[in-house]
Amino acid sequence: MPDAGPDRATARKAIALLTGAAGFTEHRPPPSPLPPDGPLGWAGYDAARERASARTGEEESVLYGTGVVGDRACVLLSFEFDFLGGSLGRQTGDRMAAAYELALARRLPLVALVATGGSRMQEGMIALTQLQRVAAASVRLRAAGLPQIAVVRDPTTGGGWATVGAGADVVLALPGAQVGFAGSRVRPPDADPYAYSAEGQFEAGQVDAVVPADELTAAVTHWLRALGPHEDLPAAPVPRALSVAGAPVPRALSAGGTESAAGAGTGAGAGTGAGAAKGSGAGTGPGAGTPSAADSGPAVPLPETGREAVARARDPRRPRAEAYLADYFAVRLPLHGDRSGSTDPGLLCGFGLRGDGQPVAYVAQCGTPTRPAGYRAAARTIRLADRLGVPVLTLVDTPGAANDAGAERAGAGAAIADTFAAVAAARVPVTTLVIGEGGSGGALALAAPDNTHVTVDSYFSVIAPELAAAILKRPPSETGATADQLRLRPQDLVDLGFARSIVG
């Protein structure tokens, strides 16, 4: 187990960092004494426990109870690393299981402040099986629709990381923390230490955010407000359109199938101009989206032809997902990564708080081909929102799913299928706004079947006009006519019953 550091916060200091003057009420489970020297009769184990207790003032490696973070009541579970390396024994498991049961009984979210070296070897298999107890308690909390947030401190390794840490709905990490299943003494000697750090785990999509200690209270408060528990939240309002008023309408597809307006994008790589994704950092904005932009109808002229609709959607001046999210939310809380070792910077997802405080989960494409990691992150977000009763907003804008060999090896088909399934199974309302390109199934996977709206500078098509012309063995000069035939304009999508309204 890692050595205790002189500057490592105690379990109680970690709690006080979040609760401040609001305080903390500690709970204890019913007494359940261990046999002398523990279940294995490990010589010196009782003496080691006594020394740890004298050093820390604690009876075990975890403590739990109720507290208030910001303005939100919750159950707090905090690890004391200086008590035998924060390791998990049977009495640790008693306390952890009791913490989950307390959250369940009071219908409160659970916030775990984790710092552990793993299972306690002096208790052998009895210690290891505590991981099963924690997993079962976590499942019961999930089934009740109650959120779990983990703050992983230094270090968080072994079974503690693999259950209460990585198993949480949202994982926040303190900068520089050692985080990983393999502790420093059991990993290969030539292993890259960055892979076992908070920053490395964030890069790999295993941690949602790396949060400095002085920002932790605000971050956890926002997450508690967003995740609930909630009751009967309304559907996410349709965002207002952000089309550039008065901007020249881009020219239609030329004979070669590309936009002839200066600076216009072409092909699958288009759509990465101003407002494109800049990673997954949290953002704040006015959150001034209209209550129902769909009711106002389009103020910007509709495209007259299919080729004009495609050209508008590919115009680099058109606002992208970042601009829409900044306008829609007062506070944004990104979820990062697919929990399978990958990320997709072209898809943004997370939870946000509107100006009136309403929580909404979001999944937003940024105009690039969506990769398998993006679809897996989208499905993760939608399922979490559904379990917690939070409505979902999706912003569709992609020329299609990534189709390179790497995407196929990463399971593009399965990832897209899982996203379709997550949307189809959602019990919470899902609201979709198509803000740019709607490229075939890679876009449709994120569209709500009965609640999709479109902007005036968007299109949706079974296939890109260029690809359709190629498949039909038409010359490039007929690409524009093919776009017209596909009936992909915003008004066509309403007439066909795919879209409910046009905003803009």
Side-chain angles (χ1 to χ4, degrees), residues 351-364:
F351 284 65
L353 297 169
R354 304 261 293 152
D356 60 1
Q358 179 185 351
V360 174
Y362 65 87
V363 176

Side-chain angles (χ1 to χ4, degrees), residues 29 60-62 64 77 79 87-101 120 123 126-127 129-134 137 140:
E60 249 300 342
S61 59
V62 299
Y64 74 99
L77 171 68
F79 283 70
S87 58
L88 280 68
R90 200 213 68 197
Q91 290 185 332
T92 321
D94 291 344
R95 289 176 173 231
M96 296 178 72
Y100 282 89
E101 291 304 315
R120 192 171 298 169
E123 294 190 25
I126 300 301
T129 57
Q130 302 312 305
L131 304 181
Q132 295 173 320
R133 292 182 70 188
V134 173
R140 288 192 291 272

Side-chain angles (χ1 to χ4, degrees), residues 35-354:
D37 279 332
L40 304 186
W42 189 287
Y45 180 43
D46 284 349
R49 287 179 56 86
E50 289 173 4
R51 289 193 298 271
S53 183
R55 182 171 57 250
T56 63
E58 302 297 346
E59 300 171 351
E60 249 300 342
S61 59
V62 299
L63 58 114
Y64 74 99
T66 55
V68 176
V69 180
D71 57 354
R72 296 287 163 162
C74 61
V75 170
L76 291 146
L77 171 68
S78 188
F79 283 70
E80 177 53 68
F81 186 77
D82 281 353
F83 192 104
L84 300 180
S87 58
L88 280 68
R90 200 213 68 197
Q91 290 185 332
T92 321
D94 291 344
R95 289 176 173 231
M96 296 178 72
Y100 282 89
E101 291 304 315
L102 179 62
L104 185 61
R106 300 199 180 185
R107 290 205 55 79
L108 292 174
L110 185 137
V111 179
L113 309 172
V114 192
T116 175
S119 298
R120 192 171 298 169
M121 61 183 178
Q122 295 94 332
E123 294 190 25
M125 284 303 299
I126 300 301
L128 190 63
T129 57
Q130 302 312 305
L131 304 181
Q132 295 173 320
R133 292 182 70 188
V134 173
S138 176
V139 166
R140 288 192 291 272
L141 211 57
R142 282 201 185 98
L146 296 169
Q148 302 170 50
I149 300 171
V151 177
V152 293
R153 300 147 56 207
D154 183 44
T156 297
T157 61
W161 165 239
T163 51
V164 69
D169 298 319
V170 175
V171 181
L172 310 177
L174 291 178
Q178 179 189 164
V179 181
F181 185 65
S184 59
R185 299 184 185 181
V186 297
R187 67 181 66 136
D190 59 348
D192 178 10
Y194 184 73
Y196 305 86
S197 68
E199 291 76 12
Q201 295 285 8
F202 174 80
E203 188 175 303
Q206 309 290 357
V207 164
D208 292 306
V210 179
V211 184
D214 60 356
E215 299 175 14
L216 192 59
T217 302
V220 173
T221 299
H222 286 318
W223 272 113
L224 290 171
R225 289 172 180 167
L227 300 181
H230 302 292
E231 299 290 341
D232 299 324
L233 291 174
V238 180
R240 61 182 178 183
L242 299 180
S243 301
V244 181
V249 175
R251 296 180 201 145
L253 293 175
S254 68
T258 60
E259 290 87 356
S260 57
T266 61
T272 56
K278 299 179 181 178
S280 60
T284 59
T290 57
S292 182
D295 295 338
S296 60
V300 178
L302 292 167
E304 295 183 2
T305 63
R307 65 195 81 185
E308 181 185 329
V310 173
R312 282 198 196 183
R314 293 177 179 173
D315 187 340
R317 297 168 295 179
R318 173 182 58 77
R320 263 54 179 184
E322 279 283 1
Y324 275 92
L325 294 174
D327 183 69
Y328 193 79
F329 290 113
V331 175
R332 219 163 79 222
L333 304 163
L335 291 171
H336 183 68
D338 66 352
R339 293 299 188 265
S340 296
S342 299
T343 62
D344 180 1
L347 186 134
L348 306 178
C349 55
F351 284 65
L353 297 169
R354 304 261 293 152

